[in-house]
Amino acid sequence: MPTTFPATPLRAYVADLDARRFRPAELTVAGGRITRLTELPPDALPPDALYLIPGFVDAHVHVESSLLTPAEFARLAVAHGTVGTVSDPHEIANVLGVAGVEFMLADAARVPGFGFAFGAPSCVPATVFETAGATVTVSDIEELFRNPQIGYLAEMMNWPGVLFNDPEVAAKIALAHRLGRPVDGHAPGLRGEQARQYIAAGISTDHECFTAEEALDKLEAGMKILIREGSAARNFDALIDLMADPRWTDQLMFCSDDKHPDTLAVGHIDALVRRALARGLDVWAVLRAACLNPVRHYKLPVGLLREGDRADFLVLNGPPTADLRVQQTWLKGELVAENGISHLKPAPATQAAPNFFIATPRTPADFRLAAPTGAATASARVIVAEDGQLVTKEERAEMPVTDGSIHANPARDLLKIAVVNRYAPHAPVAVALVRGIGLTHGAVASSVAHDSHNIVVVGTSDEAICRAVNLVIAANGGLAATDLRGTDHVLPLPVAGLMSTEDGYHVAAAYTRLDEFSKRTLGSPLGAPFMTVSFLALLVIPALKLSDKGLFDGARFAFVEAVG
């Protein structure tokens, strides 16, 4: 149970992120706020006095990707010093529309001290080249903005729509500007004049940069860059040295974007702070990125250790270094975590889990990849996945043809990938080839498949692929893996096929077992196989991806043939 801050004032070194110094001070808290902050003489504190800093903020995250509801996400995150998130409910909105966003708001309200800031999803559906469960219109966004918990227009992934002044895209951006809401960006690889045009439309952030050169282009044009390190997309090493340049101190933030429960259970933004400090970066530049810049940019209801602020802060056992450890996390004057242990009670969902899952069982024949009639071999396009990246590459492979079909070849790391429409029970299945997942046998499947969250599956045979898909269907959404030798693993996700209703630490343990099975038994060498597979259906990230409607070239924004 959380403990209320004592009536006795606390003496400590208190971080002043604007003045860039720790000042000896006496802190008094009442009613969840800092009622008095009095600076003390330099020699007033003992050498072993505590250090206080504002809490960490994840500047862009899809809570749904943690497989946890917002309340359970907060319960795990506070253990690592996270006191707020800029949360884009884009994933559940693609399944359930505005009703999904309303579910997230209601669930988040069960942890009233945590600084959730939700955005209005700007691109639902993400593209017209896939089947989604809902549409979010300009009028829907205007209605969402009536809720003060909706603080910004979430990532504008339709960058071609921005550049070519698509009327609906322009109307959404204009609405956000009229109401004083910031607009988040999403423009991977956009450089030069196109990047400047995108930014000039009033888009203020981007979390998709995967090279320092791209990030520098956007910084120089006035954009704020989020340094992302998630479970699948890991760009920290590519971007972190930008923080050494004092010009960008106020334009950088940290984010995870997508964080699976196993990694959330062991660390969050605190891990990025330690890594940044280990590189010798200025402690104040690091803390401003982790604590201050997101709060100011998004006007978050999170305290910054000033008199009158909410009493949200972290207690450290010394000045911040590469060995930084959060001793305590305080939210609104309540001790919510101590020494890595969350004091928040488990908060499994209490309301009925909303879902939209009407897929019906499939047969192996549904996953046939047809070759040209009479051909002995065929040239096939191959999606090339890269560990730690959302971007993919494209290759060509000459494949043997058997009975008019192309089959997976695990020995060449040429596996089959398929996307099954979850919203229409008898829709045709899209099938292609993928390299880089590395399974030696069996299959993995998931109803977490960005952005429309149909079922995505990768496997070594049509039979294994079918088995994994049917496990997901039987669970009405979830993650599944099979070795087709009698061992199956399933993690049900009854909330929109995206989130569990269970205790977050239990979900993390179940996910870990599934993850280890996909690596040790099925042979994948990836750091996060399920997360990587889930992004192979994300059409707005180049180069080659697969939707339920077919193989898609993200650079040309057009379908291409899988074979031929």
Side-chain angles (χ1 to χ4, degrees), residues 60 62 155 185-186 205-209 226 228 235 255 257:
H60 177 80
H62 302 280
E155 53 186 311
H186 173 117
T205 69
D206 196 6
H207 59 276
E208 292 290 347
C209 295
L226 281 53
R228 173 175 62 185
N235 309 124
C255 80
D257 196 5

Side-chain angles (χ1 to χ4, degrees), residues 7 79 175 291 301 338 361 384 402-403 420 477 497 501 512 516 537:
L175 172 65
C291 311
E338 192 166 20
V384 181
T402 304
D403 297 327
V420 180
T501 57
T512 297
E516 290 178 349

Side-chain angles (χ1 to χ4, degrees), residues 69 71 103 106-107 110 346-353 495 500-502:
T69 57
F103 171 87
D107 193 82
R110 298 193 294 140
T350 54
Q351 54 185 306
V495 182
S500 173
T501 57
E502 303 300 320

Side-chain angles (χ1 to χ4, degrees), residues 289-311:
C291 311
L292 176 67
N293 295 345
V295 173
R296 289 201 169 149
H297 181 73
Y298 293 99
K299 300 180 175 63
L300 302 183
V302 170
L304 291 172
L305 271 177
R306 301 169 304 190
E307 192 168 287
D309 278 1
R310 277 183 22 164

